[in-house]
Structures are given as structure tokens and as C-alpha cells.
Amino acid sequence: MMREGPRLVLRALACTLVAATLWTGCGRGGAPEERRASPAASKGAATTPLPPVAGASGPRVVILGDSLTAGLGLPMTRAYPSLLQHRMDDAGLGYTIVNAGVSGDTSAGGLSRLDWALDGDVRILVVALGGNDGLRGLPVAELSRNLSQIIERAQARGVTVILAGMEAPPNYGVDYTLAFHKAYPALAKKYDVKLIPFLLERVAGITDLNQADGIHPTADGAQIVADTVWSVLQPAIESDAQRAGSRKAPSQ
């Protein structure tokens, strides 16, 4: 750690403090979405993946995630993937967002259902996993290995990957928290993929933007998460659309 530049170390420590605030309400007993899985708690919440729009045959953007992506505690229409679809439509981009968020999922769970997620004309994969790995204190090496396999398998299919970073809670120690924090930029650099440094940037730790559990965004918080993702997703979609246009041009 002494070899790291001071700016990187300060950034990591700052994220540790954010994580401390973010996960204050999780207490013990595993991921909070698992403990809130009663019908009353999840009524009206998005806890299963949103299937592709019926009859949709165009290019797709899949967001592979956990309860933060599924929109736990929110109507499906208020989850950030649905908000991204509205922005896509407003921008006149003919892509379909597929919400492949499953509450309680770890990076291993996401890897196990990757083939389903990549079914169809998937052009872009947003990988938003790891929050539950951090909550459970799973080894960072395991997180990195699972995310690596997801990225490699997606890239092997010609899918553009965007990696969304998460932070671990502080209760497993500073070394674990810092290692967790560094895993995402390291993977983004290794595989040359775009990185969203922290999925919950400008939302984590802000009471008014989170539900009572202190972890899952409110509708207003989801709007900010959509802003964060859109800032990286929009140029990726535009770039993909240009490439697709170039491929069609010779036959026109």
C-alpha cells in the first residue's frame, strides 16, 4: 500500500467511510434483502428479472445485478433500469434495457445465470454485482474471479462490458475494504472496460435518498443512480450504434 499514490489511497479511504455510512443499517445476519424477503416487505417490489419486452427483436442492454438493480422496495417502473429505458427512448435510441437484477445475488450468482442474461441480440452488458459479496465478507479473490469470468465470456461474444463498482462495509477491516475497492478499477484496466467507480455515488449515506434500510435507494435515489449509469452507458450505446451503422453501410 505504501507504493500507491496518495490520491488513490485517500480516494479508497474516503470510499471506506462512505461504505461505513452505507452499510450502517445492515447489522448481522447476511444481506438485508434476504432478511426483508417476506411478502409484506417485498410487496410491489422488483425482485425478479424483467424479461425482454415482448416482440422486441432489436439490440439489448442487459444490466446484471442484485437488489439495487432489481429495484427492491420500488415499483418496477421506478427502478433505475426502467428509468434508463425512458432516457433511451427520449434520445431516439432503439435499444431495449433488460433488468437482470435478482435480490440477494452475489457475483457467483450472476455468473451462474450469465448465459440466460446474454440471450438474444445483447450489445452491452452492465455488470452491477458485488454488494452482497461485500456484505457477506466473501473473499475479494473470489469476487475478482467471478467478475473476470463474466467479462471474459461477454467479450468473447462481442458484447461491450461496463463494470459498476461497489464498496464493502467496514466491519471486515480496512485491508478487506481497500482490497474490495481496488478490485473494480483493476478489472476495468485489465479488460479495458468502462468503469462506473461507484454505483451509488451521490446516493449512499444520504438519508432522504435511501429507504428505511439505509441501503436501497428511494425513487429519487434511483433517479440519481440512473444519472450515474447513463453518463457511461449513453456514449457506449452511441458508439455501438455507429459501429452497427458502419457494418451495414457497404450493403446499402
Side-chain angles (χ1 to χ4, degrees):
M1 184 166 149
M2 292 299 292
R3 295 182 180 179
E4 297 289 344
R7 185 173 300 177
L8 174 59
V9 175
L10 288 173
R11 163 70 176 167
L13 289 173
C15 286
T16 300
L17 293 175
V18 170
T21 304
L22 171 63
W23 304 121
T24 296
C26 49
R28 299 178 181 177
E33 57 263 37
E34 294 174 329
R35 291 185 284 112
R36 297 178 64 224
S38 66
S42 60
K43 185 178 181 181
T47 56
T48 56
L50 176 67
V53 176
S57 58
R60 297 174 184 171
V61 175
V62 173
I63 306 181
L64 185 67
D66 49 34
S67 61
L68 296 172
T69 297
L72 188 70
L74 297 174
M76 178 66 77
T77 56
R78 306 303 293 274
Y80 79 83
S82 295
L83 302 179
L84 289 171
Q85 183 68 66
H86 292 314
R87 296 179 190 213
M88 199 98 63
D89 296 342
D90 290 343
L93 299 168
Y95 289 68
T96 298
I97 296 281
V98 178
N99 184 339
V102 172
S103 292
D105 233 1
T106 60
S107 59
L111 176 60
S112 70
R113 57 192 177 87
L114 182 62
D115 288 339
W116 170 86
L118 293 180
D119 185 45
D121 185 14
V122 178
R123 303 286 185 82
I124 298 172
L125 175 69
V126 180
V127 183
L129 290 163
N132 288 311
D133 296 66
L135 283 171
R136 299 175 188 180
L138 300 179
V140 175
E142 181 179 314
L143 168 72
S144 296
R145 183 168 58 252
N146 292 333
L147 293 179
S148 291
Q149 290 185 48
I150 290 172
I151 294 170
E152 289 173 2
R153 286 167 57 179
Q155 289 182 331
R157 298 189 184 202
V159 176
T160 296
V161 177
I162 296 173
L163 182 62
M166 278 300 300
E167 302 294 344
N171 49 300
Y172 297 107
V174 173
D175 288 345
Y176 179 84
T177 306
L178 291 178
F180 194 98
H181 168 78
K182 293 177 184 178
Y184 291 91
L187 288 168
K189 181 178 180 179
K190 177 179 179 180
Y191 293 103
D192 191 25
V193 301
K194 294 296 183 182
L195 175 68
I196 300 168
F198 185 28
L199 181 66
L200 298 178
E201 190 77 38
R202 298 183 295 125
V203 174
I206 301 176
T207 302
D208 291 345
L209 297 177
N210 288 277
Q211 299 175 44
D213 62 9
I215 293 177
H216 297 92
T218 61
D220 289 340
Q223 288 280 358
I224 297 174
V225 175
D227 290 340
T228 298
V229 176
W230 186 243
S231 67
V232 179
L233 178 59
Q234 182 182 19
I237 292 172
E238 292 173 347
S239 178
D240 180 77
Q242 289 175 359
R243 287 194 301 271
S246 298
R247 288 193 295 268
K248 293 178 181 178
S251 61
Q252 291 177 347

